[in-house]
Every structure is written in C-alpha cells, then in structure tokens.
Amino acid sequence: MSNGGPEVGRVFIGAGCNRIVNNVSWGACGLVAFGAQNAVAIFCPETAQILTTIPGHKASVTCTYWLPSAKFAFKAKHLERHFLLSGDAEGVIILWELSLLDKQWRYVLQVPQSHKKGVTCIAGFMISETDAVFASTSSDSSVYVWELALPSSSGGDCNLSCLDTLSVGPKPMVTLSIAELPGTTGHFLLAMGGLDNKIHLFCGERTGKFVRACELKGHNDWIRSLDFSLPVCTNGEMSNLLLVSSSQDRSIRIWKITPHNSLANSRRREDISLTSYIEGPIFVVGSFSYQISLESLLIGHEDWVYSVEWQPPLVSAEGVECHQRQSILSASMDKTMMIWQPERTTGIWMNVVTVGELSHCALGFYGGHWSSSGDAILAHGYGGSFHLWRNVGVDADNWQPQKVPSGHIAAVADIAWAKSGEYLLSVSHDQTTRIFAPWLSEPHLETLDTWHEIARPQVHGHDINCVAIIQGKGNHRFVSGAEEKVARVFEAPLSFLKTLNHAALHKSTFPEDMQADVQILGANMSALGLSQKPIYVQAAHEPTVRNSNEGVDTLETIPDAVPVELTEPPIEEQLAWHTLWPESHKLYGHGNELFSLCCDHKGELVASSCKAQSVSVAEIWLWQVGSWKAIGRLQSHSLTVTQMEFSHDDNFLLAVSRDRHFSVFSIKQTGADKISYQLLARQEAHKRIIWACSWNPFGHEFATCSRDKTVKIWAVEKSSSVKQLMTLPQFHNSVTAISWLGLDLSSNAGCLAVGLENGLIELWSLSVVRTEDGSLAATGPSTAALLVRLDPFMCHVSTVHRLAWRNRVQSTASGSMQLASCGADNSVRVFEVRFD
C-alpha cells in the first residue's frame, strides 16, 4: 500500500463451494475451509461470512484438511496457531498457517513430492500439539504418508518428512483415515478405500515403513468415506478402536478393532454371541495382535453415502480426559444427513436425527461435518451450497437450520448495483442471477450490517453473460443476456420489495405506497427452466393444480414456489426456489448469444450486443424501456462488442470491441419513442482485444483497457472528435476491467479501479484538466498516479471480469466508497475504500 493512499477494507465475499467430495474441513479453531475455484476460502459459521480467500494454487482446489481438525480440538486448547493443508487438481499440496491472535495467514510450504494427478483426500492425526502425521491420496493411485513437526514459536520452521509411499494396485484410493493403535505407542493404522470396494489397512511407525495388515471386504461398490474413532474406553481401559466406512452401495459399516489376546481371554467357550460368527481377520503389530470384526451394518440412506464422521470426543471440564461419543454423522446423495447412535438397551445402531429431506433443490450432499463441540453439523451440496444445522434444544434434540455463506459455483461474468445501491446483482456461468445485500442486524447500530444473498431472481438453462439494471423511477427491473439469442427482462415481485425493506438501512427506493400497485407476488420455474411465470397476489392464496395427471411423474410436476416476505436472510432452500422474479419480456433480434448489456441513466434505453465475427452481427441494438421495441441498430464493429456504457449525461454511447477499436455514438431523443443516433468516432485504440471501458462521471472523458496490458484515457472534444489524453504505465498483466469514480467535480479528479487477468486490483488517481468552455487545456496536462495496490489476500485469484463503484447515494460514510468486483474465481467481492 502506498503512503498516503486510501485505506481499503474487505466488506464481503460471496463464493460457492467446489463441487467435489472431501473439499470441506471444519477445524478445531471453529473456522471452515473449502475450495472455491483456485482459492482456499475460509468462513466463520457464527457470522455466516467468508473471512478471506487464500491465493496460491494454480488449479482448482479439491480438498482441505485442518491440523488440528474438529476431532482433535481437545489437543488444541492452548494453540495460538492452526495449520491447514490444501490439495488441488494438479496434485500440489500446500501448508498454510493461521495466527489466531492477529487473524493473519502465512504460506508455510509446498509438500515437495507432488502427486501426478489431482489430490482426492487428505487425512491426519495429531500426536501432540506440535506433531502430526498426515496422508494424501490421488487419482494416480499413490498414497503418501508424511510426518509434520509444527513450530513451537511464531514464524518458526515446519519440518516435513516422508514416512512412506504406498500403492495398492491400479484402482485409485479416494478416502483415508489414520489412528493410533490402542495399547501401543507410536504405532499407526492407516485405512484406505476406493474403487476396488475393499478397505485396505496398513500399519506403521513414526520411524519406518507402513506394511499391509489386512483387507476388509463387505461393501459391493466404491468406498467413499472412512473415519477412525478415538479409542473407546471400556472398564477404564482404552481398548477398542472403531472404524466407520460408507459406500456407493448405500450402506454404512462399523468395524471393531480389538486387541486379540484380551478378546480370547474374556470369551468363554459357551459364550457364543453373534460376533463369534462374524469374526474378521487378525493382524500383528510388534508384540500385539488385533482382531477386526464387523460391529454393525447401518442401512437407511437411499443413495450413495459420500461421507461418515464420528462425533468429536467429549472433553472433561479439566481438559484431561476425553471420551469418544457413540455418534456418527452420514451425508448422502439422497439429500439427507443422518445422525446414528446405538440404543441404550440393545446396543443396536439407529438413525436418531435426519435433516435435509425437504430440500428438493439440494441435489444431494457431497459431505457432512461436525463442529468441534458436536452441537452443529454442516453439509455441502451438489449445487455448491452449504447447509448448516445447530442443535438448539435444551432437554431434547432440536436441530434448526442456520445462515451460511453462499455464492456462484462458476465464473461470475457481470455485476450491477441497484439504482440507489441498495443491493448488488451478479450473473454467472452457473446459470443463476443472484442478489447480495447488507442486512442490518440492529437498526440503531450502523456498523453491524453483514452481507448475505437475499434473492436468486433467475435460475436459467443457459450460462448468463451480462446484466443491466434499469435506472430511473419505478419498480426494480433488470435485463439479462445468456448463451441464447434472447435478452430477458425481469421485474421485482412484491415479496422481494418487502424483503428489501427489512434488509436495507435506507428504505427501498420503491416506497410502500407504490408497492400496492405491484400485483405479482413471485414467480414459478417453468418445466424446462427457461422462463419464469408470475404468481399473482390474488392467486397466491388459491390452491393450484400444476398437472392434471395426478400421480404421474412428468416434467410439469415441479413443486410450486411459495414467495414470502423474508424478515431475516434466507437459507439455500428458500433462495433456490422461492425468490424468483417473473419474466416480463423477451427481446428478440440478435443473431448469436448475448455478450454485453447497458442501460442509460434516465432509464429510457437499453443497448445490447452479441458474439460476432461480421459487421452485420456485431451491430448494437437499442431498445426502448417500457415498450421494449427495438428502435436502433448501430453498426461500427466487425467483431464482438465486449462492453458498452452511456456517458453520464446520456448524450454518448461508448462501445469497445474485440476488433481493437472503440466507437462513440451521439444519442438524441427526437420524439416520444424516437431517437437519432450518429457515429461520431471510431478509432483503433489498442494492439489487442479491448476488454472494458468506463466514462468519467464528471465529463466526456473515458478510459479503455486491453489485453495489451495498457489503460488509455480519451476525451470527446467540442468538435466531436476524440483525442487521446494519456496512457497509464504498462501493467504486468492483461487489464480486463475498469471503473471510473468521480471524486471532485471542481477539479475533475477521480479514481480509476483497474482489474487484472491475474485477479489483482489497483486504484489510480486521475485528474483531467479542462478550460471553462469545456475544451481540453493546452497547459496543465492530465495526470495519473497509483494510489494503492490491493492486498492479494483481498483480491481475486483468477481474472477480474467486472468492477463497479457503488452509487454515491448509498456511500457508507463521508470520504468512504464501496467498490464491487467479480471474477473467474466464482467470487463476488465488495471493498470499502476510505479516501482522506
């Protein structure tokens, strides 16, 4: 950060979870880590906010693992630093350090021996506060076992040594678990399972190699998850060890590992129980031998069981003893998580809690995790969403859904602020449009508002490329363009307007007396997911029959949406189904899929462009807001127009294109529904594709940015010609997004936000000197200077797609502005910039 520059703070990050098993880990520190595209994201379950994203991986993050994890929270009471392992799709594993005192992250090391293919699972065991053993497995069929000595002082070195490299054959292992064998010191048991339907057990010491102990057969499909308990205490002795396994055969098995000698002594000849018929293999470790038997078979899920996890141990008040609780959490593709416990009288394992079964939108769970205290459970789903339940019961269990962070699960293509900045709208290649807004916790405390996703107005059948919010008076409306030749217009329903009044500190710009005119309560999804049909206020209370063929399962048997006024931030189940906006118009005319959209500041015109490789297809269409007639077709470019923007007095329309040219059109209103337009200037501006453009809010200057790593400033002169004012110093990466903020009208000073292909963001001060008649001054040239480079831990980890300053009406404090950004790393971000 340069001296004297503005202060930049992180306000909000919205991002979804990579759709992959083993991607989420809940640490003893209370934080959850997950992979969001190439970044490792960290979120706090208490506040439902993503705290930071950690850059460093060059490929998609596939798994994370905390040291210590929630299971070993009892060994982490006095730790000031926690560590996190993250693996990616190229086989790289990185170790990070989190200092709890200052909440700072530090890159520690990259595990030297990378896997040849993507990492599928990391599992660890905390021996002590400073010693850990962990193993990793990959699609390359190898398993590496490592010993890690953590530093005892801040900033100290971590010592990593490879204990062994294992391979069990051509079929990869996809899940691992490590335990210390009871009765021995320093002997570890490593369980691995995968595509050969068997559980492979290996024994090893901290000093030497791991040797094959035995195989466990029983599952008849891929093994998806394994988890060792801590040793179970019986009669005061730490004797038995339990292993739980789950599979795509929909079953869960609990295996008991018992020291063999004690088993033989305790059983008399006449004591023939069921276990004697299902005795498993015996293996020897040093001077000890152990027998494995199948303890229980749990059947209840109706689809693949992706994860099983023991409830973290109960620690005594003194923190000395810990007791392994007999409770297992399972998560399945049947859209449920279950908690299993043995009955007190019979010892038979039963399903005691089921959550998630009503979420018809979740499309199944990829994994489930306990909090370290065991009073909360978290699932992550196929849609990249989180689902959190907390046990709020006092005498009896009462699991209630909680708020969680949410966001897109594919590249975010475009963002737009609401007319007065009350919320931020984003569109993505995950085929959704989402609305994020600050939700005020306490009306009298302005500092406590946290951001949440408050609506998902469009769920579409195509990747969405662009969006524009209709300015001007009246209801909230937006136009979106996707990988289809149609632009679609959406209008806010009554349920959203009422929800917005609960969320916003400043009441919505659409007052309640005008809301009475809105007759649409919400919207229903059509069968093919392409258009959204309105639900009218008066019809909302009448029972509807969507399908005359009762009991026949067809495309039309989709549950009806129930749009309601929300008084607190919604959870995933509400967002995905009940917050849709009705589609009011379709705009036909373009020859290819839509690529960019913009609206003028009066809310009278919308301009649209599509992907193009010829002059006729690359034309810009102008639409009249309200009648939605096409009233102009502007020709200038020969390739795709990548971005357009109206000048702040709406006299000019600026367009930039892949053909390396920009165009400036004059736009004049000549009648009620007629306009005249004229091409003022067309100029080759850069050596490579021009990605974005932005007007000076105080004048007729504009900026363009390009793949050629440059940003240029231009001005429209009185003679209607365009003159180049300056070129900013060359950047190290392609410049993919810019947004110009006006700071001082009298001096024509502004701040230009610049987004780069590597995800970083910079702020530049701009000063453009003009004479009184508006022409460019001959003396006193325009100047630009770097104000601040944002901290990489704040920025995106992939290409920045769009930057947008929040409207001044909603600036949070004097001298403070908010900047929104979106990128290819699936995230939407909001920063607070405080100018001196």
Side-chain angles (χ1 to χ4, degrees), residues 598-623:
C598 73
C599 178
D600 68 0
H601 299 81
K602 298 190 197 84
E604 295 172 353
L605 288 175
V606 168
S608 61
S609 74
C610 70
K611 291 185 180 177
Q613 290 185 317
S614 65
V615 175
S616 59
V617 183
E619 61 192 6
I620 298 163
W621 285 56
L622 292 178
W623 310 86

mmCIF file of all heavy atoms in Angstrom, residues 598-623:
data_model
loop_
_atom_site.group_PDB
_atom_site.id
_atom_site.type_symbol
_atom_site.label_atom_id
_atom_site.label_comp_id
_atom_site.label_asym_id
_atom_site.label_seq_id
_atom_site.Cartn_x
_atom_site.Cartn_y
_atom_site.Cartn_z
ATOM 1 N N CYS A 598 -26.156 -2.656 -21.468
ATOM 2 C CA CYS A 598 -26.051 -1.497 -20.585
ATOM 3 C C CYS A 598 -27.339 -0.689 -20.690
ATOM 4 O O CYS A 598 -28.099 -0.817 -21.656
ATOM 5 C CB CYS A 598 -24.828 -0.638 -20.902
ATOM 6 S SG CYS A 598 -24.965 0.328 -22.406
ATOM 7 N N CYS A 599 -27.582 0.133 -19.662
ATOM 8 C CA CYS A 599 -28.785 0.971 -19.618
ATOM 9 C C CYS A 599 -28.353 2.414 -19.410
ATOM 10 O O CYS A 599 -27.338 2.666 -18.739
ATOM 11 C CB CYS A 599 -29.685 0.510 -18.468
ATOM 12 S SG CYS A 599 -31.183 1.500 -18.286
ATOM 13 N N ASP A 600 -29.102 3.363 -19.986
ATOM 14 C CA ASP A 600 -28.767 4.774 -19.751
ATOM 15 C C ASP A 600 -29.213 5.189 -18.350
ATOM 16 O O ASP A 600 -29.898 4.441 -17.643
ATOM 17 C CB ASP A 600 -29.353 5.678 -20.843
ATOM 18 C CG ASP A 600 -30.872 5.747 -20.785
ATOM 19 O OD1 ASP A 600 -31.477 5.105 -19.903
ATOM 20 O OD2 ASP A 600 -31.464 6.441 -21.628
ATOM 21 N N HIS A 601 -28.810 6.395 -17.934
ATOM 22 C CA HIS A 601 -29.025 6.823 -16.551
ATOM 23 C C HIS A 601 -30.447 7.307 -16.294
ATOM 24 O O HIS A 601 -30.872 7.399 -15.151
ATOM 25 C CB HIS A 601 -27.994 7.893 -16.180
ATOM 26 C CG HIS A 601 -26.594 7.389 -16.268
ATOM 27 N ND1 HIS A 601 -25.910 7.308 -17.470
ATOM 28 C CD2 HIS A 601 -25.757 6.875 -15.322
ATOM 29 C CE1 HIS A 601 -24.711 6.788 -17.259
ATOM 30 N NE2 HIS A 601 -24.589 6.527 -15.977
ATOM 31 N N LYS A 602 -31.174 7.636 -17.369
ATOM 32 C CA LYS A 602 -32.580 8.054 -17.195
ATOM 33 C C LYS A 602 -33.508 6.845 -17.160
ATOM 34 O O LYS A 602 -34.688 6.978 -16.838
ATOM 35 C CB LYS A 602 -33.007 8.970 -18.346
ATOM 36 C CG LYS A 602 -32.237 10.277 -18.469
ATOM 37 C CD LYS A 602 -32.911 11.187 -19.490
ATOM 38 C CE LYS A 602 -32.000 12.303 -19.959
ATOM 39 N NZ LYS A 602 -31.097 11.898 -21.048
ATOM 40 N N GLY A 603 -33.008 5.704 -17.554
ATOM 41 C CA GLY A 603 -33.846 4.509 -17.589
ATOM 42 C C GLY A 603 -34.747 4.459 -18.802
ATOM 43 O O GLY A 603 -35.864 3.931 -18.735
ATOM 44 N N GLU A 604 -34.275 4.992 -19.940
ATOM 45 C CA GLU A 604 -35.107 5.032 -21.153
ATOM 46 C C GLU A 604 -34.615 4.106 -22.251
ATOM 47 O O GLU A 604 -35.394 3.677 -23.098
ATOM 48 C CB GLU A 604 -35.157 6.476 -21.692
ATOM 49 C CG GLU A 604 -35.863 7.437 -20.737
ATOM 50 C CD GLU A 604 -35.740 8.885 -21.181
ATOM 51 O OE1 GLU A 604 -34.985 9.138 -22.151
ATOM 52 O OE2 GLU A 604 -36.389 9.748 -20.570
ATOM 53 N N LEU A 605 -33.308 3.799 -22.260
ATOM 54 C CA LEU A 605 -32.736 2.988 -23.335
ATOM 55 C C LEU A 605 -31.887 1.863 -22.770
ATOM 56 O O LEU A 605 -31.191 2.037 -21.762
ATOM 57 C CB LEU A 605 -31.833 3.845 -24.247
ATOM 58 C CG LEU A 605 -32.481 4.854 -25.180
ATOM 59 C CD1 LEU A 605 -31.393 5.648 -25.878
ATOM 60 C CD2 LEU A 605 -33.359 4.160 -26.201
ATOM 61 N N VAL A 606 -31.943 0.715 -23.445
ATOM 62 C CA VAL A 606 -31.026 -0.392 -23.152
ATOM 63 C C VAL A 606 -30.293 -0.739 -24.442
ATOM 64 O O VAL A 606 -30.908 -0.822 -25.504
ATOM 65 C CB VAL A 606 -31.788 -1.630 -22.625
ATOM 66 C CG1 VAL A 606 -30.890 -2.858 -22.610
ATOM 67 C CG2 VAL A 606 -32.314 -1.366 -21.220
ATOM 68 N N ALA A 607 -28.975 -0.888 -24.349
ATOM 69 C CA ALA A 607 -28.174 -1.294 -25.508
ATOM 70 C C ALA A 607 -27.706 -2.724 -25.293
ATOM 71 O O ALA A 607 -27.372 -3.113 -24.169
ATOM 72 C CB ALA A 607 -26.978 -0.367 -25.668
ATOM 73 N N SER A 608 -27.686 -3.505 -26.382
ATOM 74 C CA SER A 608 -27.264 -4.903 -26.270
ATOM 75 C C SER A 608 -26.362 -5.283 -27.429
ATOM 76 O O SER A 608 -26.480 -4.728 -28.528
ATOM 77 C CB SER A 608 -28.486 -5.834 -26.236
ATOM 78 O OG SER A 608 -29.231 -5.714 -27.430
ATOM 79 N N SER A 609 -25.459 -6.227 -27.193
ATOM 80 C CA SER A 609 -24.588 -6.739 -28.264
ATOM 81 C C SER A 609 -24.447 -8.246 -28.086
ATOM 82 O O SER A 609 -24.693 -8.781 -27.003
ATOM 83 C CB SER A 609 -23.209 -6.075 -28.205
ATOM 84 O OG SER A 609 -22.460 -6.583 -27.115
ATOM 85 N N CYS A 610 -24.013 -8.914 -29.155
ATOM 86 C CA CYS A 610 -23.861 -10.374 -29.094
ATOM 87 C C CYS A 610 -22.507 -10.788 -29.663
ATOM 88 O O CYS A 610 -21.773 -9.969 -30.223
ATOM 89 C CB CYS A 610 -24.991 -11.059 -29.861
ATOM 90 S SG CYS A 610 -24.890 -10.854 -31.650
ATOM 91 N N LYS A 611 -22.173 -12.058 -29.484
ATOM 92 C CA LYS A 611 -20.926 -12.581 -30.049
ATOM 93 C C LYS A 611 -20.988 -12.457 -31.567
ATOM 94 O O LYS A 611 -22.028 -12.759 -32.163
ATOM 95 C CB LYS A 611 -20.718 -14.039 -29.650
ATOM 96 C CG LYS A 611 -20.429 -14.206 -28.163
ATOM 97 C CD LYS A 611 -20.115 -15.649 -27.814
ATOM 98 C CE LYS A 611 -19.835 -15.775 -26.321
ATOM 99 N NZ LYS A 611 -19.586 -17.165 -25.922
ATOM 100 N N ALA A 612 -19.880 -12.015 -32.182
ATOM 101 C CA ALA A 612 -19.956 -11.717 -33.618
ATOM 102 C C ALA A 612 -18.600 -11.875 -34.285
ATOM 103 O O ALA A 612 -17.548 -11.674 -33.666
ATOM 104 C CB ALA A 612 -20.454 -10.287 -33.811
ATOM 105 N N GLN A 613 -18.691 -12.242 -35.585
ATOM 106 C CA GLN A 613 -17.483 -12.291 -36.414
ATOM 107 C C GLN A 613 -17.699 -11.574 -37.741
ATOM 108 O O GLN A 613 -16.924 -11.750 -38.680
ATOM 109 C CB GLN A 613 -17.075 -13.749 -36.655
ATOM 110 C CG GLN A 613 -16.544 -14.412 -35.380
ATOM 111 C CD GLN A 613 -16.023 -15.809 -35.649
ATOM 112 O OE1 GLN A 613 -16.658 -16.573 -36.368
ATOM 113 N NE2 GLN A 613 -14.879 -16.136 -35.079
ATOM 114 N N SER A 614 -18.758 -10.784 -37.805
ATOM 115 C CA SER A 614 -19.009 -9.999 -39.028
ATOM 116 C C SER A 614 -19.691 -8.695 -38.618
ATOM 117 O O SER A 614 -20.255 -8.580 -37.539
ATOM 118 C CB SER A 614 -19.918 -10.774 -39.985
ATOM 119 O OG SER A 614 -21.194 -10.956 -39.411
ATOM 120 N N VAL A 615 -19.655 -7.716 -39.546
ATOM 121 C CA VAL A 615 -20.195 -6.381 -39.250
ATOM 122 C C VAL A 615 -21.696 -6.445 -38.975
ATOM 123 O O VAL A 615 -22.196 -5.826 -38.030
ATOM 124 C CB VAL A 615 -19.912 -5.419 -40.440
ATOM 125 C CG1 VAL A 615 -20.583 -4.067 -40.205
ATOM 126 C CG2 VAL A 615 -18.413 -5.243 -40.622
ATOM 127 N N SER A 616 -22.427 -7.236 -39.740
ATOM 128 C CA SER A 616 -23.888 -7.247 -39.579
ATOM 129 C C SER A 616 -24.300 -7.838 -38.231
ATOM 130 O O SER A 616 -25.252 -7.380 -37.603
ATOM 131 C CB SER A 616 -24.535 -8.041 -40.718
ATOM 132 O OG SER A 616 -24.043 -9.368 -40.714
ATOM 133 N N VAL A 617 -23.571 -8.854 -37.761
ATOM 134 C CA VAL A 617 -23.937 -9.490 -36.486
ATOM 135 C C VAL A 617 -23.422 -8.660 -35.305
ATOM 136 O O VAL A 617 -24.012 -8.672 -34.226
ATOM 137 C CB VAL A 617 -23.381 -10.931 -36.424
ATOM 138 C CG1 VAL A 617 -23.803 -11.631 -35.139
ATOM 139 C CG2 VAL A 617 -23.853 -11.723 -37.623
ATOM 140 N N ALA A 618 -22.358 -7.884 -35.529
ATOM 141 C CA ALA A 618 -21.739 -7.123 -34.428
ATOM 142 C C ALA A 618 -22.470 -5.825 -34.133
ATOM 143 O O ALA A 618 -21.998 -5.019 -33.345
ATOM 144 C CB ALA A 618 -20.275 -6.828 -34.766
ATOM 145 N N GLU A 619 -23.611 -5.590 -34.771
ATOM 146 C CA GLU A 619 -24.308 -4.329 -34.523
ATOM 147 C C GLU A 619 -24.878 -4.286 -33.108
ATOM 148 O O GLU A 619 -25.187 -5.317 -32.504
ATOM 149 C CB GLU A 619 -25.419 -4.113 -35.559
ATOM 150 C CG GLU A 619 -26.492 -5.177 -35.570
ATOM 151 C CD GLU A 619 -27.399 -5.068 -36.804
ATOM 152 O OE1 GLU A 619 -27.111 -4.239 -37.688
ATOM 153 O OE2 GLU A 619 -28.384 -5.816 -36.863
ATOM 154 N N ILE A 620 -24.999 -3.051 -32.598
ATOM 155 C CA ILE A 620 -25.554 -2.809 -31.264
ATOM 156 C C ILE A 620 -27.035 -2.479 -31.428
ATOM 157 O O ILE A 620 -27.399 -1.622 -32.232
ATOM 158 C CB ILE A 620 -24.816 -1.637 -30.590
ATOM 159 C CG1 ILE A 620 -23.325 -1.981 -30.395
ATOM 160 C CG2 ILE A 620 -25.473 -1.270 -29.259
ATOM 161 C CD1 ILE A 620 -22.452 -0.783 -30.127
ATOM 162 N N TRP A 621 -27.874 -3.170 -30.679
ATOM 163 C CA TRP A 621 -29.321 -2.895 -30.732
ATOM 164 C C TRP A 621 -29.708 -1.978 -29.575
ATOM 165 O O TRP A 621 -29.235 -2.149 -28.451
ATOM 166 C CB TRP A 621 -30.120 -4.205 -30.626
ATOM 167 C CG TRP A 621 -30.109 -5.027 -31.885
ATOM 168 C CD1 TRP A 621 -29.020 -5.483 -32.552
ATOM 169 C CD2 TRP A 621 -31.250 -5.486 -32.619
ATOM 170 N NE1 TRP A 621 -29.391 -6.208 -33.658
ATOM 171 C CE2 TRP A 621 -30.771 -6.239 -33.733
ATOM 172 C CE3 TRP A 621 -32.624 -5.362 -32.465
ATOM 173 C CZ2 TRP A 621 -31.610 -6.833 -34.669
ATOM 174 C CZ3 TRP A 621 -33.470 -5.966 -33.389
ATOM 175 C CH2 TRP A 621 -32.965 -6.687 -34.485
ATOM 176 N N LEU A 622 -30.577 -1.017 -29.884
ATOM 177 C CA LEU A 622 -31.121 -0.134 -28.850
ATOM 178 C C LEU A 622 -32.587 -0.474 -28.632
ATOM 179 O O LEU A 622 -33.344 -0.618 -29.597
ATOM 180 C CB LEU A 622 -30.995 1.339 -29.260
ATOM 181 C CG LEU A 622 -29.580 1.926 -29.335
ATOM 182 C CD1 LEU A 622 -29.640 3.370 -29.790
ATOM 183 C CD2 LEU A 622 -28.867 1.839 -27.995
ATOM 184 N N TRP A 623 -32.983 -0.606 -27.367
ATOM 185 C CA TRP A 623 -34.349 -0.969 -27.009
ATOM 186 C C TRP A 623 -34.953 0.128 -26.157
ATOM 187 O O TRP A 623 -34.284 0.686 -25.281
ATOM 188 C CB TRP A 623 -34.376 -2.280 -26.210
ATOM 189 C CG TRP A 623 -33.600 -3.393 -26.844
ATOM 190 C CD1 TRP A 623 -32.277 -3.644 -26.708
ATOM 191 C CD2 TRP A 623 -34.102 -4.398 -27.732
ATOM 192 N NE1 TRP A 623 -31.904 -4.744 -27.455
ATOM 193 C CE2 TRP A 623 -33.025 -5.237 -28.088
ATOM 194 C CE3 TRP A 623 -35.369 -4.691 -28.257
ATOM 195 C CZ2 TRP A 623 -33.149 -6.327 -28.938
ATOM 196 C CZ3 TRP A 623 -35.492 -5.787 -29.103
ATOM 197 C CH2 TRP A 623 -34.403 -6.595 -29.439
#
